[in-house]
Amino acid sequence: MSQKTQEPVITKVSELRTEEAKWVTLRKVEFVDQVGKPRTWEVAARKTRGRAGVDAVAMGNVLLHPSRPASTMVVIQYRPPLDAYTVEWPAGLVDEAETPEQAAVREFKEETGYECRVVSISPLQAADPGMTSANMQLVMVEADLPETELGGGGRDDGMPLQRLEDGEHIQRVVLPLTELYDRLVEYSKQDRMIVAAKLFHFAAGMHFAQTQKYF
Amino acid sequence: MSQKTQEPVITKVSELRTEEAKWVTLRKVEFVDQVGKPRTWEVAARKTRGRAGVDAVAMGNVLLHPSRPASTMVVIQYRPPLDAYTVEWPAGLVDEAETPEQAAVREFKEETGYECRVVSISPLQAADPGMTSANMQLVMVEADLPETELGGGGRDDGMPLQRLEDGEHIQRVVLPLTELYDRLVEYSKQDRMIVAAKLFHFAAGMHFAQTQKYF
């Protein structure tokens, strides 16, 4: 993380008036429920949804290396909402005129430096349905690592250049797929680090399938 | 879904002023980033976080039946933020003085009617870290189904009574664990239905571990 010269620090937290917010907003939904009773619900929403009707994509990625085990790249970045570093799969908002697949390939290249190919795309998912209208799709992608690159546990040294936006400071970490769950648990024990729920749930599902006693 | 007598319908959506919101709020976070530059970030936050510092729990559950395959219970409910029915694992907010484990057992009983025991609890996870400070823990639980109950694909008939709050209309569906991923994909194809991202990611992780070609 060559650009990182200091720990980010929050200087002020204030109430944000809805009419001043640019990226998110609050809405009051009035509805009539299943038994005919009028009710209301408070909703946080993104203001950036484009034509595809999909707010965001996350890229569940498999990195293939000629001689090393298959791995996946996670990104670590300071997230002001948590005042912590999060461990996530590369992800991003879908631009106004993009398809989710196009957003996946573009954002993966920007955040990781690698070209990828889309293997599959999930149905639309509700990000956090009790609180927000935000939705997303999980795009599974593959990328090929040249023989000369690590592909198995190292940090960004030797990886292709990222194309980050101003203000983005994203560290890349390559984790063997077989170690994903254990490594996320380890990250969670570190000070000021938190794993994103979607990535953690995917890894927990892998771990469950491989270790549980019910089948 | 005996209480359901009509489809919920939204009658009005309006901008909600931050100072009028009771459950969620917007905050402006001012911070100094890694390279010393002052920046701001817009954050949606829950206003209900209690002493545990954990907003919510979701219960990854395994239902054990004397003679049928292990299954899991998902809940289907109308979610105004999406104007759709969501498929989720039982979940709920952690009350002011509760531990996450206590919230898991209480909420599981309320939403499903079943007693459960906690098998494991995940590290703290960030619900949607680009947008919100909301966090959660995944609590894996087990519950025993008596021989007389379905435990394998049926709807709520014959299940114990739920203890729902006023306004909650929650349908319970028992799915065999081996069919979880395929059933969620099927639900996603239905009109006005959407699967919650955390549950979908867990199931996708199980499916990935069982079907992928990389290990």
Side-chain angles (χ1 to χ4, degrees):
Chain A
M1 225 186 309
S2 54
Q3 291 173 300
K4 182 185 160 188
T5 56
Q6 61 183 66
E7 288 290 315
V9 59
I10 288 179
T11 51
K12 187 179 174 193
V13 178
S14 52
E15 192 173 89
L16 175 64
R17 290 156 51 98
T18 311
E19 59 269 35
E20 290 171 2
K22 182 181 164 199
W23 297 90
V24 294
T25 189
L26 294 184
R27 295 187 185 130
K28 181 167 129 183
V29 173
E30 297 170 58
F31 67 106
V32 176
D33 77 4
Q34 285 95 329
V35 297
K37 187 164 176 179
R39 295 187 177 276
T40 63
W41 200 275
E42 298 178 5
V43 180
R46 287 194 182 274
K47 299 179 79 169
T48 47
R49 189 177 292 180
R51 250 179 272 163
V54 180
D55 288 317
V57 286
M59 281 67 79
N61 65 89
V62 177
L63 304 182
L64 302 169
H65 185 274
S67 57
R68 291 171 192 260
S71 57
T72 191
M73 186 172 291
V74 299
V75 290
I76 300 178
Q77 62 197 301
Y78 175 73
R79 289 291 205 178
L82 284 304
D83 192 24
Y85 291 88
T86 56
V87 183
E88 304 172 55
W89 263 335
L93 297 181
V94 180
D95 283 348
E96 167 60 28
E98 275 182 323
T99 66
E101 290 87 344
Q102 288 168 336
V105 171
R106 175 184 56 77
E107 282 280 356
F108 193 78
K109 172 81 175 177
E110 288 174 8
E111 292 199 354
T112 74
Y114 289 94
E115 304 284 345
C116 71
R117 51 189 174 272
V118 172
V119 175
S120 65
I121 182 161
S122 79
L124 196 63
Q125 302 172 39
D128 194 3
M131 175 179 176
T132 167
S133 59
N135 62 23
M136 57 83 59
Q137 286 182 287
L138 172 64
V139 184
M140 297 303 294
V141 303
E142 283 181 351
D144 298 311
L145 297 184
E147 176 70 58
T148 48
E149 277 175 43
L150 337 140
R155 305 225 160 188
D156 355 21
D157 321 290
M159 293 184 192
L161 278 182
Q162 295 162 299
R163 294 190 298 196
L164 301 175
E165 288 171 49
D166 181 43
E168 283 191 314
H169 305 275
I170 297 181
Q171 182 194 356
R172 299 165 286 178
V173 181
V174 175
L175 302 175
L177 278 175
T178 51
E179 296 175 19
L180 179 59
Y181 177 78
D182 290 339
R183 295 289 292 271
L184 296 182
V185 170
E186 285 306 310
Y187 272 122
S188 299
K189 292 176 185 164
Q190 291 183 33
D191 190 38
R192 217 183 180 189
M193 291 203 81
I194 184 166
V195 178
K198 292 184 288 283
L199 172 60
F200 194 93
H201 276 66
F202 189 97
M206 286 179 66
H207 181 73
F208 181 83
Q210 290 167 335
T211 60
Q212 57 81 36
K213 55 189 191 286
Y214 307 109
F215 296 150
Chain B
M1 227 187 309
S2 55
Q3 291 172 300
K4 182 185 161 189
T5 57
Q6 62 183 66
E7 288 290 315
V9 59
I10 289 180
T11 50
K12 187 178 174 194
V13 178
S14 51
E15 193 173 89
L16 174 65
R17 289 155 53 97
T18 312
E19 59 269 35
E20 291 171 2
K22 184 182 164 198
W23 297 90
V24 293
T25 190
L26 295 183
R27 294 187 186 130
K28 180 167 132 185
V29 173
E30 297 171 58
F31 67 106
V32 176
D33 78 3
Q34 285 96 327
V35 296
K37 186 164 175 181
R39 296 187 177 276
T40 64
W41 200 275
E42 298 178 5
V43 179
R46 287 195 182 275
K47 298 179 81 169
T48 48
R49 189 177 293 180
R51 249 179 273 162
V54 180
D55 288 316
V57 286
M59 281 67 80
N61 65 90
V62 177
L63 304 183
L64 302 169
H65 185 275
S67 58
R68 291 171 192 259
S71 56
T72 191
M73 186 172 291
V74 299
V75 291
I76 299 180
Q77 62 197 301
Y78 175 73
R79 289 291 203 178
L82 285 304
D83 191 24
Y85 291 88
T86 57
V87 184
E88 304 173 55
W89 263 335
L93 298 181
V94 180
D95 283 348
E96 167 60 27
E98 277 181 322
T99 66
E101 290 88 344
Q102 288 168 336
V105 171
R106 175 184 55 75
E107 283 278 357
F108 193 78
K109 174 80 176 177
E110 288 174 7
E111 293 198 353
T112 74
Y114 289 94
E115 304 285 345
C116 71
R117 49 189 176 274
V118 172
V119 176
S120 64
I121 183 161
S122 80
L124 196 63
Q125 303 171 38
D128 194 4
M131 173 178 176
T132 166
S133 59
N135 62 23
M136 57 84 59
Q137 286 182 287
L138 173 64
V139 184
M140 297 303 294
V141 304
E142 283 180 351
D144 298 311
L145 297 183
E147 176 69 60
T148 48
E149 277 174 43
L150 335 141
R155 304 224 160 189
D156 1 18
D157 322 289
M159 294 184 193
L161 278 181
Q162 295 163 298
R163 294 189 298 195
L164 300 175
E165 287 171 50
D166 181 44
E168 283 191 314
H169 305 276
I170 297 181
Q171 181 194 356
R172 299 164 288 179
V173 181
V174 176
L175 302 175
L177 278 175
T178 50
E179 297 175 20
L180 180 59
Y181 177 78
D182 290 339
R183 294 290 291 272
L184 296 182
V185 171
E186 285 305 310
Y187 273 121
S188 300
K189 293 175 185 166
Q190 291 183 33
D191 191 40
R192 218 183 180 189
M193 292 203 81
I194 184 167
V195 178
K198 292 185 287 282
L199 173 59
F200 194 93
H201 276 66
F202 189 97
M206 286 179 67
H207 180 73
F208 181 83
Q210 291 167 334
T211 60
Q212 57 80 39
K213 55 189 191 285
Y214 308 108
F215 296 149

